[in-house]
Structures are given as C-alpha cells and as structure tokens.
Amino acid sequence: MKLVSWNVNGLRACVKKGFNDYFKETDADIFCIQETKLQEGQISLDHGEEYTQYWNYAVKKGYSGTAVFTKVKPLSVRYGLGEDAEEPEGRIITLEFETFYLVNVYTPNARRDLSRLAFRLEWEERFRSYLQQLNTHKPVIACGDLNVAHREIDLKNWKSNLNNAGFTPEERDKMTQLLDAGFMDTFRHLYPQREDAYTWWSVMPGVRARNVGWRIDYFLASSRLDSLLKDAQIDCHVLGSDHCPVILEINV
C-alpha cells in the first residue's frame, strides 16, 4: 500500500502549481493533505470514481483544514480527537480500515513568539492519548505536518533554532513521549543517519535551493508494524508548497 502526505499550504494555490499532476503521477492508495485553507464548495477535485474524498474544514476561513483521498473504502470516519466533536480548526481526520487506523493530522503551531506553546503542549497530550487508545484496538498510521523537528539531524541549523517554535525542548519532548508510547518515525526508523532530508523550507529567497530546511512532516506507525515497512521517501523535488510530499510504502 502506498500512502502520501502533503501540507499543501493552500490547496487552491497548489492546484495552480501542479497538484493534480503530482496526484495522478503518484497513484497513491491513500493521499492525505493538510492546510487546505478553504471551505466546502470552494474547490472541486475530480480524481475519478476510484477515490473517495473526506474533508475537515476549519470554521475560520482560509485557515488550517485537512482532507483524505482514498481508493480503499474505510469502515468508519471520525473528525477531531476522540470524543471531542468540537473541532473548529479542522485538524484531524481518522479513517478506520480492516487492519489499521489512518490518522491525518495538522498539529498546531506554537507561533514565533511561542504564545500558543501552552495550547500546543496540551493538544499534544490529548493527541498522544488518542493514538494510544486507537492502538489498543488495531495498529495506527498517523501522518501529516507535526510542526516539530524532533532531533538535531532533522533541521539544517539546529544551534541557531534552539528554543524557536518547532524546536523547543518542550515540543521535542512531546514527540519523544509519543514515540515511546509505542510508535515509530518510519523515515528515521529506516534511515537513522540520513542527513539533509527535509520537508519544509522558509520562503525567503534561496533557502530551498540551498536546502536549508526542516523535517517536520512525518509518517508515524505503531511499532508492531515494523516488519511490514517497505520504504519511506521524501519528494523534495516537488514544488507547489513550502512543504514537500512524504511517502510511506507498507504491506498492510
């Protein structure tokens, strides 16, 4: 099974920059996107009858939002964190399949001034608890923009970014706690020492060309899926957003 995740940072803009071509080229079984930045009815994507679409829109216009396109019909679909039916920022979609759960997530940003760090950390606690709950029933694959570079190897200039949003000790510790709770970072599991592997770059001139980036987009998976992993890839050559797509191939 081939799964793709991409923070498109505005789907309407990304469509104008080749999204549909990439979608067709990858021919994924499941394609997840984050930061759609639109409301219902503002876009129409036709990828044929083989794909079923699921959308979670933010209440605030032009903000956040997630979507999943899947060839495999899920057994059930839910939005938000567990019993939390109120999901005004459209950050999570969970699809239940016969042998696993798929969770598409766009993690809140702590903001440059860290004014949302406390909210982010509380959200992380609920997110970890939610994944652990799912994991007791069947394995979990969680993907999306997690807004954290976990280790020093996961961003180019780690020393100058210490305590910056996305690389604070608190955010990194939450990621460690999540992995310790029975999950694995599939890319790092397969490529523990690979350097210069990034998924997001600042829009400042020349930054992406020099590959001064961060790896903040992930496929996490229940540790017991270890033997089923085939490959994890980063399509860093794909433009259209300040993030690039990430891919997981797994035998599920």
Side-chain angles (χ1 to χ4, degrees):
M1 177 174 277
K2 184 178 185 180
L3 302 94
V4 176
S5 175
W6 191 7
N7 179 325
V8 294
N9 193 12
L11 182 57
R12 286 171 292 182
C14 194
V15 164
K16 296 176 182 178
K17 300 174 183 177
F19 173 84
N20 289 326
D21 291 336
Y22 179 77
F23 189 101
K24 294 174 183 176
E25 174 190 324
T26 55
D27 191 29
D29 296 291
I30 303 174
F31 198 115
C32 300
I33 59 176
Q34 305 88 41
E35 220 173 346
T36 56
K37 291 186 174 181
L38 48 76
Q39 316 303 126
E40 186 173 6
Q42 289 189 308
I43 198 169
S44 177
L45 294 181
D46 182 9
H47 294 297
E49 295 182 358
E50 61 182 338
Y51 284 102
T52 305
Q53 305 179 16
Y54 299 94
W55 298 79
N56 195 1
Y57 305 101
V59 173
K60 182 180 177 181
K61 293 183 178 179
Y63 180 74
S64 192
T66 48
V68 179
F69 307 84
T70 175
K71 291 182 179 180
V72 185
K73 273 289 190 74
L75 302 177
S76 66
V77 181
R78 67 181 81 170
Y79 303 89
L81 283 169
E83 300 301 318
D84 184 8
E86 294 290 323
E87 228 265 289
E89 297 188 354
R91 293 188 177 275
I92 294 183
I93 305 176
T94 302
L95 276 62
E96 179 187 6
F97 297 101
E98 184 175 351
T99 57
F100 69 100
Y101 289 102
L102 184 281
V103 180
N104 179 27
V105 60
Y106 175 42
T107 299
N109 191 296
R111 293 182 178 161
R112 183 181 294 271
D113 62 358
L114 302 183
S115 61
R116 219 182 188 203
L117 180 60
F119 170 80
R120 159 73 180 264
L121 298 178
E122 186 273 334
W123 189 94
E124 291 272 12
E125 287 289 325
R126 291 191 290 131
F127 182 60
R128 185 177 71 250
S129 176
Y130 177 61
L131 293 191
Q132 287 179 287
Q133 176 194 6
L134 295 179
N135 199 32
T136 62
H137 298 287
K138 59 181 74 174
V140 176
I141 298 172
C143 68
D145 176 1
L146 300 189
N147 261 317
V148 62
H150 185 217
R151 296 166 49 196
E152 295 168 2
I153 196 175
D154 293 320
L155 71 167
K156 188 68 171 182
N157 297 320
W158 67 268
K159 290 183 179 179
S160 62
N161 280 291
L162 285 171
N163 297 311
N164 285 345
F167 200 60
T168 63
E170 295 90 342
E171 291 167 298
R172 297 170 65 195
D173 184 57
K174 291 299 182 189
M175 177 63 126
T176 298
Q177 291 177 36
L178 176 56
L179 297 177
D180 288 347
F183 300 93
M184 57 184 169
D185 170 357
T186 58
F187 181 83
R188 274 290 163 240
H189 185 78
L190 293 171
Y191 305 104
Q193 302 303 324
R194 181 170 293 182
E195 299 180 343
D196 300 320
Y198 308 126
T199 66
W200 175 82
W201 301 262
S202 166
V203 295
M204 294 177 62
V207 170
R208 188 159 184 173
R210 290 183 285 115
N211 197 27
V212 181
W214 298 47
R215 190 176 70 92
I216 61 176
D217 301 87
Y218 296 81
F219 269 100
L220 306 182
S222 298
S223 298
R224 61 187 185 275
L225 295 177
D226 176 9
S227 63
L228 303 183
L229 295 182
K230 292 181 63 181
D231 199 10
Q233 306 162 37
I234 297 175
D235 269 356
C236 57
H237 65 284
V238 176
L239 306 178
S241 168
D242 53 348
H243 296 250
C244 74
V246 293
I247 300 172
L248 177 67
E249 295 184 58
I250 185 169
N251 291 316
V252 292

